[in-house]
Amino acid sequence: MQETRGRVTKDGIRIYEDADFAGMRAAGRVAAEILDMMCPLVVPGVSTAALDDFIREEIGRRGVVSATIGYKGYQHASCISVNHVVCHGIPGTKVLADGDILNIDVTVIVDGWFGDTSRMYVAGAAPRKAERLIEVTYESLMRGIQAVKPGNTFGDIGYAIQAYVEANRMSVVRDFCGHGLGRVFHAPPNVLHYGRPGKGAVLEEGMFFTIEPMVNLGRPETKTLSDDWTAVTRDKSLSAQFEHSIGVTATGCEIFTLSPADKFFHTA
Ligand code: MF3
Ligand code: CO
Ligand code: CO
C-alpha cells in the first residue's frame, strides 16, 4: 500500500503520528494473543504443520489477515524454526520431540497495520543449555528495547544486544535483522542486532520498527537451505529468537506485541 501520512527522515525512516499508535497497538495485540494461544499446543508429538494450521484458522476466526501467506511466494501463516533453524522455518511434517526448542513467528494485518512478533517455546523439557540460550536471547531483546528513546541511535540498540549476548559467550546472527514496519511489512531501516554506541540513524518519536535478535550457542554464521527459506546455523548449534514490534515515544518506546497473558515462552 502506498504510504501517504507523516514524513520520512533523511535515512528514509517514516515518522508516524500519534493516532497511528492505536493501529499498531491493535495489530500487535492480535499477533501476541495468537502466540499466547500456542503455549498449550506446543507438546511432543505435534507437527509444525498442525501448529501452523491452528494459526491460520485463528487468524480467520478473528477476521484479520496473515501477512506471510503470499508474501514472496511464502504459503504459511507462520514461520516455525526448530532447534538449529535460525529463522524462516517452513511448517511441515516435522513432529516435535521432547526437548525441542522452537520459535513461532506470526505477522498479521489488522485494518492495514502490521503486527509482527515471535517467541520461543519448548516441547516438553529442554536441556539446561537450551533454556539458558532462550533466557539470554529474551533478555538481549529487552536490553535492546531499553535503549530505545529519542536521541539514541540504532547502534545503541545493536550494541546493547551484542554486548549482553557476547558476555554470555553466545553469538549474534548478522545475516538477518529487524525492520521498519507500519502499513507495510518491511521498510527502512535495517535494525541490526550488533553495533557500536552512537553509530547509525538517530531515533525519533513516531518511528515504528521490530527488534528480533537471533542468538546462537555456537558460531554466528548461517546458511539457507535449498527451499530458499529455511536458515540454519552452519555449525548446527542451537539458535533462538524473540521479536517485538515497537514505536518510539517522547520518553522511550511502546511495545505493541507484549503478551496480554504475560507469557513469554512455554512453561506448562
Ligand atoms: N515475520 C518475519 C519477520 O520477522 C518475516 C517472515 S516472512 C515469511 O520479519 F515469508 F517468511 F513469512
Ligand atoms: Co520482523
Ligand atoms: Co516476525
Side-chain angles (χ1 to χ4, degrees):
M1 175 186 295
Q2 192 64 35
E3 297 249 18
T4 51
R5 44 220 291 165
R7 68 182 175 88
V8 174
T9 69
K10 68 173 166 53
D11 301 293
I13 305 169
R14 184 163 294 278
I15 303 299
Y16 288 93
E17 292 158 11
D18 277 1
D20 299 332
F21 279 72
M24 289 299 286
R25 207 171 284 143
R29 184 177 176 95
V30 169
E33 284 176 351
I34 293 172
L35 290 188
D36 280 353
M37 297 177 84
M38 302 314 290
C39 293
L41 306 181
V42 176
V43 291
V46 75
S47 71
T48 56
L51 297 174
D52 187 70
D53 286 345
F54 177 88
I55 293 166
R56 185 189 307 255
E57 286 161 16
E58 185 59 26
I59 286 172
R61 280 190 283 273
R62 289 166 180 257
V64 300
V65 174
S66 165
T68 56
I69 297 172
Y71 176 77
K72 297 186 177 173
Y74 196 77
Q75 296 296 326
H76 305 273
S78 62
C79 297
I80 302 184
S81 302
V82 183
N83 293 337
H84 73 298
V85 179
V86 173
C87 63
H88 301 164
I90 301 175
T93 55
K94 183 176 178 60
V95 171
L96 298 179
D98 185 46
D100 281 347
I101 66 168
L102 54 149
N103 175 278
I104 304 180
D105 189 337
V106 172
T107 309
V108 293
I109 312 170
V110 178
D111 293 332
W113 296 96
F114 285 70
D116 183 5
T117 184
S118 79
R119 298 183 207 154
M120 295 303 293
Y121 299 78
V122 178
R128 182 65 198 137
K129 67 176 176 24
E131 283 186 349
R132 266 201 70 234
L133 170 66
I134 291 170
E135 288 163 8
V136 167
T137 306
Y138 182 75
E139 177 66 17
S140 79
L141 168 61
M142 299 319 284
R143 287 183 181 224
I145 288 173
Q146 276 160 19
V148 176
K149 63 173 185 189
N152 279 6
T153 69
F154 282 94
D156 294 329
I157 298 172
Y159 177 77
I161 294 166
Q162 181 183 15
Y164 182 73
V165 167
E166 292 179 355
N168 282 281
R169 291 189 296 285
M170 299 177 193
S171 63
V172 173
V173 169
R174 313 300 205 257
D175 299 339
F176 300 92
C177 56
H179 49 93
L181 83 174
R183 286 192 174 276
V184 292
F185 197 171
H186 294 107
N190 288 330
V191 180
L192 305 182
H193 304 114
Y194 57 93
R196 299 174 71 85
K199 301 292 185 188
V202 177
L203 297 164
E204 292 183 43
E205 184 177 358
M207 291 178 174
F208 295 163
F209 54 89
T210 72
I211 307 179
E212 48 184 298
M214 285 139 276
V215 175
N216 299 347
L217 272 183
R219 294 200 45 83
E221 292 81 11
T222 73
K223 68 175 180 191
T224 299
L225 302 185
S226 59
D227 61 25
D228 284 343
W229 283 105
T230 311
V232 300
T233 54
R234 280 198 176 264
D235 65 4
K236 304 270 176 40
S237 67
L238 288 177
S239 188
Q241 179 179 28
F242 285 87
E243 174 177 25
H244 274 313
S245 297
I246 69 175
V248 183
T249 63
T251 55
C253 73
E254 175 173 347
I255 304 175
F256 298 126
T257 46
L258 279 178
S259 164
D262 207 23
K263 302 171 189 279
F264 72 85
F265 63 91
H266 178 59
T267 45

